[in-house]
Each structure stands twice: as structure tokens, then as C-alpha cells.
Amino acid sequence: MTFDVNALRAEFPILSRKIDGKPLVYLDSAASTQKPQAVIDAITSFYTECNANVHRGAHALSDEATRRYEKARDSVSKFVNANRREEVIWTSGTTESINLVANGLAQRLDPNDEVVVTEMEHHANLVTWQQACEKAGATLKIAKINDAGELDIESFKDQLSERTRLVAFPHVSNALGTVNPIVELTQIAKSTGAWVLVDGAQGIAHGGVDVQAIGCDFYAFSGHKLFGPTGIGVLWGRFDVLNAWPVWQTGGEMISDVEYLSATWGALPNRLEAGTPNIAGAIGLGAAIEWFLQQDITALQQHEAQLIASAMEQGEAFEGMRLVGTAKNKIGVMSFLLDNAHPGDVGFILDRQGVAIRTGDNCAQPLMKRLGIGGTARASFSIYNTLEEVDALFAALRKAKSMLG
Ligand code: PMP
């Protein structure tokens, strides 16, 4: 199969938009990816053809809605290579997935226990563990990174001990693009007997994820970073671990038997999914995954590698640019600063030229402080971006430099 980026782009209606008369150059996919028509159609079709609540109704619409909704769970299960479909728990996104795990962990932590994360965490994979540790009087330990933004494996090992109960790290850093060696990290962490959670928010959209090959206990991700809708996400968890995990939200759907003064819990996945779920969201995410699986994923990965390589090469040659995050193994993200220019001003000037990037602390304030900066400008790339768009970014940056210099 040959890869035709323009044919792929044609499936994303928003990419033909103009911003102030200029073609949109969307370089903010690490914040949220755009959606192909197949996903938009799946959501529209649910609302126009079979909108009803799932698992409840004794009628045709509810049956059809339930079938589509549970089929989406099968798509996720296949996509991450889960052992069983019950290992796929719907959440509202990565943040809620991590909160689900942290909520249960807090009930199990003792004051002597430790949780380990890294210096490159998104707030969702940091503050959540701070809170869990605080509730239990446990200790949060932080593994260091080097100045290129790569995890220091020795420091990671140093944080681990027989007291470690859970280790969490990102698959890919949202602020730096660093790809972590998650199989190796999981192996090291598991040797202490700890649970391992991988924050897959940025890892999921760059190819297949095989949770069994990784060996982790939990893998969390958001639909909206995988060409699916917002408000839907996944917590994949190993069956035996999830099955023993404390319930968190309570209400309809997650129970087995209820008395006025007590209740018992249903089986997975329902026991961790209280209330009416985001049905259209799940169906949209299922459609996104089925759409993605139809692509030539190896070709997409090669294309993405070319985009980041071109961006980094031009970034290194760009006078007055400081690249933030120069890991050898990186994908999707180029964070940078221009000399004497505030990232917010750079973002504003780029936006006037149709180039959409993110600016600010990247939801990683401690990481920014560790790097001695307040924030960055961040261009992030996805499968539908072109090498011409990377060039357009640098043309816009030259203009920004001349205006701000
Ligand atoms: N972790 C990482 C690495 C992320 O990039 C993000 C989203 N920026 C999150 C967690 C949180 O994802 P969400 O806001 O979709 O819950």
C-alpha cells in the first residue's frame, strides 16, 4: 500500500478550513486530534438511527444502541490486545482513568508505602498521585530526567524499593515528545511487585499498543487524541487487578443486589462504570479505531517520523531557537522557545498566519521549572500533517522572529 497523505487529509473535513483566508495548518494534535468523516458519521448515525440508553430497555433501539456500544469495546480490546473485553473500562478520558486507579490505590496505601512517577509528567499523572499519597500519608517519589528530556534509568531504579506500591510514567511526553522505553521500565518496576500504570494519552495515536507485550497493569488513554470524540476514554487494566480494585463511583449499572442499607457490586466491566455512559462517545471512539486499523500503520509511522525529523532539523538550524526536548527517541512534538520572545506572542503571530500551535506550560509546570523555563511554544504533528506544513511552520516562525526581534 502506498501512503497518500492528501487522500488521508481529504477524510478530515476540518483540514480544508481557512483561518482568516489562509489554509489551516493544524499543529496541535497533541492537545486534540482532528476527526475523520467516518467518526463524525458514526456519531450522527447513532443519534439519528438508534439513540436510546444501553443495557436497560426492552426495545429495539436500546438493543441496537447496546450492540454498537459494546462493539466499540471490542474494537478497543482488539486495538490494545487485551486478554478479555472486560478489561476495557470506559472513562471520560485519561484524567478520569488515572483518577479511577488513584482512588482505589488511596484506599490501599499505608503510610510506609511509596508511589513513583517521573519528572516529565502531565499534571494528570502527577497531582492525582500527590492526592492519593496525601490521603494515606504515603510518599511520592520522582525519577529524574536528563537535560535532553530523557528519563534517567538509574534514577528511576533508585526510586524503587520494596515499599513501592505503584509506578506511573508516560508512554510519550506531551511536552517534550520523548518516547519512553515502556517495556523496560515496566519490567524494572514489576520486579518490586508494584502495580504499573502507563499514561498512554500521547502514545496511543502513533501505532499499535500491545498491553500484553508491555506487561503493565494499567494503560490509560483519551479518545480525542486518537481521532475520536472528546469526553470518552479508556482504562485498560489486567483482569485480576481490575477485578479486585475498589469500586469508585457508585450508582446504576455497577451493582448486583441493592438493599436499603447495603449493596453488592456487579461484574467487570460494569462494576467500574456507574451511571449512563457516554454512548455516542464510545461508538465514535470505536469508529476511530476501526478507521485507524484500516490504514497502513507502518506507512503512517514512517510519515510521522519524517515530519518530526524535518521539524527538528529545521529547528536546529533556526538561529535564535531553543529546542526543548531533544531526546533521541521522540515523536509528535517539537517544543521550542525563540530568543527574547514570549511563547504566547509567537503563538499569536503564527495563528494570524493560519498556523495553530499550543503555548504555555503544557500542563507540566514542574517539568517546566525543572528545565528552568515558564513554558514553551509547542508544534505537534499527526498522521495528516505534511512536510509542506512543517515548512509553513518555519516560514511563519521567520515572520514571528522578524516581528518580535
Ligand atoms: N497525560 C498526558 C501525557 C496528556 O498529554 C494528557 C492530555 N494533554 C493527559 C494526560 C490528560 O488527558 P485528558 O485531558 O484527555 O484527560
Side-chain angles (χ1 to χ4, degrees), residues 30-32 91-98 120-125 169-175 199-203 220-225 230-233 358 362-363 378:
S32 202
T91 64
S92 64
T94 311
T95 302
E96 191 173 78
S97 299
I98 297 171
M120 68 171 89
E121 302 306 333
H122 184 281
H123 296 155
N125 204 32
F169 45 81
H171 188 164
V172 176
S173 157
N174 62 303
D199 171 354
Q202 299 294 339
F221 66 92
S222 304
H224 71 99
K225 300 198 198 257
T230 51
I232 186 76
R358 163 138 190 204
N362 299 294
C363 288
R378 182 189 72 178

Side-chain angles (χ1 to χ4, degrees), residues 102-115 128-140 163-166 195:
N103 189 284
L105 185 75
Q107 298 176 45
R108 292 173 151 200
L109 283 177
D110 289 330
N112 276 337
D113 289 340
E114 294 172 355
V115 173
T128 319
W129 307 116
Q130 289 172 359
Q131 290 289 301
C133 288
E134 197 178 306
K135 276 186 201 136
T139 304
L140 185 62
R163 295 180 173 186
T164 313
R165 299 300 302 283
L166 185 136
W195 290 295

Side-chain angles (χ1 to χ4, degrees), residues 136-199:
T139 304
L140 185 62
K141 303 190 84 180
I142 317 286
K144 293 193 179 312
I145 56 168
N146 63 22
D147 290 339
E150 294 160 323
L151 187 63
D152 176 338
I153 305 279
E154 287 313 309
S155 168
F156 181 73
K157 287 181 182 162
D158 287 347
Q159 309 313 313
L160 302 170
S161 74
E162 71 284 357
R163 295 180 173 186
T164 313
R165 299 300 302 283
L166 185 136
V167 181
F169 45 81
H171 188 164
V172 176
S173 157
N174 62 303
L176 309 172
T178 309
V179 181
N180 281 313
I182 53 174
V183 175
E184 183 189 353
L185 297 180
T186 301
Q187 265 168 12
I188 296 169
K190 289 300 288 176
S191 67
T192 68
W195 290 295
V196 172
L197 178 141
V198 180
D199 171 354

Side-chain angles (χ1 to χ4, degrees), residues 71-132:
K71 190 165 155 274
R73 196 189 304 272
D74 289 333
S75 296
V76 174
S77 177
K78 176 177 63 174
F79 189 55
V80 301
N81 193 27
N83 212 8
R84 303 170 60 154
R85 67 189 305 283
E86 297 87 347
E87 295 179 335
V88 174
I89 307 297
W90 296 120
T91 64
S92 64
T94 311
T95 302
E96 191 173 78
S97 299
I98 297 171
N99 271 270
L100 189 167
V101 177
N103 189 284
L105 185 75
Q107 298 176 45
R108 292 173 151 200
L109 283 177
D110 289 330
N112 276 337
D113 289 340
E114 294 172 355
V115 173
V116 175
V117 296
T118 75
E119 279 185 338
M120 68 171 89
E121 302 306 333
H122 184 281
H123 296 155
N125 204 32
L126 176 66
V127 181
T128 319
W129 307 116
Q130 289 172 359
Q131 290 289 301

